[in-house]
Amino acid sequence: MTLLSSQLAKFFVPESGGKFDLLRAILERLNEQQSAGDSCILLDGEEQKLVKESELVGKDAPFVLEDRRLYMQRYWLYEEQLAQRLRELANTLSQDGLDIDNYFTDEYQREAAQLVLRSQLSIITGGPGTGKTTTVVKILALLLQQSSAQERPLNIALSAPTGKAAMRLQESIEASKRDSEVNGLAEFAEELIDSIPSEARTIHRLLGVIPNSIHFRHNATNPLGADVVLVDEASMVDLALMSKLLVALKSGAKLILIGDQDQLSSVESGAVLSDCYQALHNNRVQLQNSYRFGGAIKELATAINHQNSNDAISVLQKNSDSVVWLEMGNSISKLIKDGYSRYVASVAEMVKRDVTVTEQDIVKIFEIFNSFQILTATRQGRSGVDGLNRLCETILLNDGSDHAQWYQGRPIMVVQNDHNLGLFNGDIGVHLNGAIYFLLADGVRSFSPLRIPQHETSYAMTIHKSQGSEFGEVLLILDPSHSNSMQENANDSVGISNLLSKELLYTAVTRAKKRVIISASETLIRNTINNSIQRISGLKEKLNS
């Protein structure tokens, strides 16, 4: 029982004894499960009767009871608004008027394009390497071609939930446009390819952040000007943000959600992409042919996703070039030193040159840094982010003494939004010659260390923070303490079920493009694969109603 949930419950139920204590317990559970990602909680018959008899639910009351589901008023409203707008979009169909067979050899990509052209709402999902970006670029080209034929301009907005994901989307689209022959764009006119937008923004930037407010500049009374809004990495978007985005869509606008429904859901409440995928069968397409992601990594990811622990262990036991399994207790020091050796050497060489750092230098440094990443499940403990970052600094700085906070090459992750600077939670920076450099969607930017918002060293990061990223090689470290680290500070209902899950492991493994090294016991791996997160919400039911 957390202090916050107890204080919240006491605020709404100040009296004690008998039914008041039961009401408090219900509100504490609601607060705790919402913090864990649920939009609401399910009540049994006795609990429903008790809540109905109280003044907690009803018109203008702080809570809402709908069927068995108890919500905080604000989250019920988010869910209602989102469901209503999704139903409106899902039921709006049109004739596309385009013959697109010549543009696709992949039947699922063709089906996705047909869906976008005829519907206001399209949900396109698929695992790594199934061609989501290629599909997106062709769809954008087709939409532009369609608008040109109809002699009307088309305003397309590209977005993602984090700056890191927005930058990846932008880079992927630009790369596809540069190599149009390889990416199947040769059928389109060159000027059409040039007109495909690539600038991507975070959803917050798209909606227009109002400092110190939960509201945005764009809303129902001041809608976005975009005719098409595309959201990449949509599995990371929480209930509140998705609701605000849909409310801000102008009449007639198309919404395209792109993502992997098998990844972790948002850190905040809701599992919007998964709920939409399960409920809106006529508005979804799953890409199934893999072009880049294969071999042992794909086998392992598939086994994890299907919760087949025997197959997963079998893949791990082969210890192939792309999937390596380390039993617990094996030293990871050499792996850390080898993994970051190119990065450390590159930083040293750049500092040795003693010349002004160029944008090209920064792009190269980030490319090398992203070739290796340590992932873990939690922040605390020896095998958490804090402990692993200290270990990395000890190994890589090659001494056991205290070091300056801003040593050359220190990688950092911003953990607090600063709208004035344009830096957001999850942005990665590197310290070189007295400045912190960031490679963002709008290019390279530098700041004085004194101006950087709250941050932490980022040789190691949590799996949640890694969403929206890809790394050449991933070192995933799990240990038994991760299964109870949350239980030490919370009640028993918030523990392994919200920390170690098949979604978490799948997300970690699929961050690796070339190689994943897993340090974990067989028992922990099996338990993790067998545990699936099922978030509680009413969105699916409302979409089906």
Side-chain angles (χ1 to χ4, degrees):
M1 181 186 302
T2 65
L3 179 61
L4 177 62
S5 61
S6 297
Q7 290 175 336
L8 180 73
K10 287 179 181 178
F11 177 82
F12 288 111
V13 189
E15 298 184 60
S16 60
K19 67 176 183 180
F20 300 108
D21 290 340
L22 294 174
L23 283 172
R24 277 192 192 177
I26 291 171
L27 297 189
E28 286 166 359
R29 177 155 55 97
L30 174 60
N31 186 59
E32 287 158 0
Q33 289 192 212
Q34 185 178 294
S35 298
D38 295 330
S39 305
C40 55
I41 60 172
L42 301 179
L43 303 185
D44 62 26
E46 289 294 320
E47 291 171 330
Q48 292 175 54
K49 181 180 178 182
L50 183 64
V51 168
K52 287 176 182 177
E53 291 173 350
S54 73
E55 296 181 356
L56 294 174
V57 297
K59 187 177 180 181
D60 300 324
F63 301 93
V64 174
L65 180 62
E66 184 179 65
D67 298 325
R68 295 181 55 207
R69 301 185 297 271
L70 180 67
Y71 298 82
M72 291 185 182
Q73 176 78 243
R74 181 155 56 102
Y75 284 87
W76 175 82
L77 184 59
Y78 287 146
E79 196 173 273
E80 280 286 297
Q81 289 176 334
L82 178 57
Q84 179 182 339
R85 289 293 285 127
L86 285 169
R87 286 196 304 266
E88 291 171 0
L89 293 175
N91 293 328
T92 305
L93 300 175
S94 64
Q95 296 298 319
D96 56 73
L98 282 180
D99 181 2
I100 66 172
D101 287 350
N102 292 337
Y103 300 106
F104 295 92
T105 57
D106 185 310
E107 61 182 303
Y108 302 105
Q109 293 182 14
R110 184 189 304 112
E111 186 182 348
Q114 289 170 336
L115 173 63
V116 172
L117 291 170
R118 73 171 188 265
S119 176
Q120 277 191 259
L121 173 64
S122 305
I123 304 160
I124 304 172
T125 68
T130 52
K132 291 193 290 292
T133 300
T134 300
T135 307
V136 164
V137 174
K138 288 184 181 180
I139 285 171
L140 296 179
L142 287 167
L143 287 170
L144 288 167
Q145 186 167 289
Q146 183 185 56
S147 69
S148 177
Q150 296 171 352
E151 297 184 345
R152 60 178 177 83
L154 191 68
N155 183 343
I156 299 174
L158 306 178
S159 65
T162 66
K164 189 162 41 180
M167 183 177 69
R168 266 198 62 214
L169 174 61
Q170 181 167 310
E171 289 174 344
S172 298
I173 292 176
E174 288 173 348
S176 292
K177 289 170 64 176
R178 284 195 304 270
D179 203 354
S180 59
E181 194 75 35
V182 173
N183 289 288
L185 296 176
E187 297 291 332
F188 295 99
E190 188 174 336
E191 57 269 23
L192 183 69
I193 296 173
D194 290 340
S195 68
I196 297 172
S198 60
E199 180 186 356
R201 290 173 285 176
T202 63
I203 299 173
H204 285 80
R205 285 171 175 161
L206 176 67
L207 291 175
V209 170
I210 300 175
N212 304 315
S213 172
I214 63 171
H215 302 292
F216 293 99
R217 291 189 176 90
H218 290 289
N219 49 44
T221 57
N222 180 32
L224 293 162
D227 303 297
V228 178
V229 175
L230 184 146
V231 181
D232 196 21
E233 298 289 351
S235 65
M236 299 169 63
V237 185
D238 63 81
L239 173 66
L241 185 58
M242 190 67 85
S243 174
K244 292 172 183 178
L245 174 62
L246 267 81
V247 167
L249 291 179
K250 73 176 185 179
S251 177
K254 288 179 180 287
L255 177 67
I256 307 170
L257 302 180
I258 311 287
D260 184 345
Q261 81 275 12
D262 296 317
Q263 280 188 188
L264 282 167
S265 296
S266 60
V267 175
E268 303 297 331
S269 294
V272 176
L273 183 66
S274 178
D275 285 347
C276 290
Y277 180 83
Q278 293 179 54
L280 301 172
H281 296 179
N282 295 328
N283 297 81
R284 72 181 194 188
V285 173
Q286 183 174 14
L287 306 180
Q288 298 183 34
N289 296 321
S290 183
Y291 297 95
R292 171 185 53 80
F293 191 73
I297 296 179
K298 182 182 179 182
E299 289 180 41
L300 179 59
T302 300
I304 293 167
N305 197 30
H306 293 165
Q307 292 191 278
N308 192 325
S309 58
N310 288 335
D311 282 0
I313 294 300
S314 177
V315 174
L316 290 167
Q317 286 174 336
K318 293 176 184 176
N319 267 319
S320 64
D321 290 339
S322 55
V323 173
V324 178
W325 183 23
L326 300 177
E327 291 285 355
M328 288 300 301
N330 287 17
S331 174
I332 60 171
S333 297
K334 187 177 186 306
L335 291 171
I336 292 173
K337 188 171 184 178
D338 291 346
Y340 282 118
S341 61
R342 281 185 62 220
Y343 175 70
V344 171
S346 297
V347 168
E349 178 63 28
M350 193 170 295
V351 172
K352 185 179 178 182
R353 279 168 35 203
D354 195 27
V355 294
T356 302
V357 176
T358 67
E359 182 167 330
Q360 188 177 3
D361 290 331
I362 299 304
V363 171
K364 185 65 175 177
I365 279 291
F366 273 94
E367 179 185 322
I368 294 171
F369 181 71
N370 287 330
S371 66
F372 179 80
Q373 181 66 53
I374 302 171
L375 300 181
T376 184
T378 189
R379 296 187 49 78
Q380 290 78 33
R382 185 182 61 181
S383 296
V385 166
D386 297 339
L388 288 170
N389 276 317
R390 286 194 297 270
L391 176 62
C392 287
E393 288 179 329
T394 299
I395 293 169
L396 300 176
L397 297 179
N398 206 27
D399 62 51
S401 60
D402 291 337
H403 44 76
Q405 179 185 7
W406 292 111
Y407 54 85
Q408 296 282 11
R410 182 191 175 197
I412 65 161
M413 174 185 286
V414 173
V415 296
Q416 183 181 53
N417 293 340
D418 189 319
H419 301 289
N420 293 324
L421 291 180
L423 292 176
F424 296 88
N425 187 0
D427 286 345
I428 300 290
V430 171
H431 175 247
L432 289 167
N433 298 335
I436 312 298
Y437 292 89
F438 292 85
L439 182 57
L440 304 173
D442 56 355
V444 173
R445 299 178 64 195
S446 64
F447 300 88
S448 162
L450 298 177
R451 299 186 68 199
I452 304 300
Q454 187 176 342
H455 57 273
E456 62 189 21
T457 304
S458 64
Y459 294 109
M461 67 175 68
T462 62
I463 298 165
H464 274 94
K465 290 286 189 181
S466 75
Q467 284 187 272
S469 296
E470 284 185 338
F471 309 100
E473 182 175 328
V474 164
L475 171 58
L476 172 61
I477 300 172
L478 303 174
D479 76 30
S481 67
H482 293 169
S483 65
N484 57 22
S485 60
M486 291 182 71
Q487 291 181 11
E488 294 171 1
N489 300 304
N491 70 358
D492 289 341
S493 68
V494 182
I496 185 170
S497 63
N498 289 316
L499 188 59
L500 297 184
S501 66
K502 69 109 170 175
E503 291 85 1
L504 188 91
L505 188 56
Y506 172 84
T507 300
V509 167
T510 55
R511 297 312 89 201
K513 292 191 287 186
K514 297 179 180 177
R515 191 181 192 217
V516 60
I517 306 168
I518 299 179
S519 175
S521 69
E522 179 175 340
T523 299
L524 190 60
I525 290 171
R526 288 184 180 276
N527 288 343
T528 300
I529 291 172
N530 292 332
N531 182 50
S532 180
I533 297 174
Q534 299 296 324
R535 289 194 167 175
I536 301 172
S537 83
L539 184 58
K540 282 182 291 186
E541 287 81 356
K542 290 174 182 176
L543 290 174
N544 285 322
S545 63

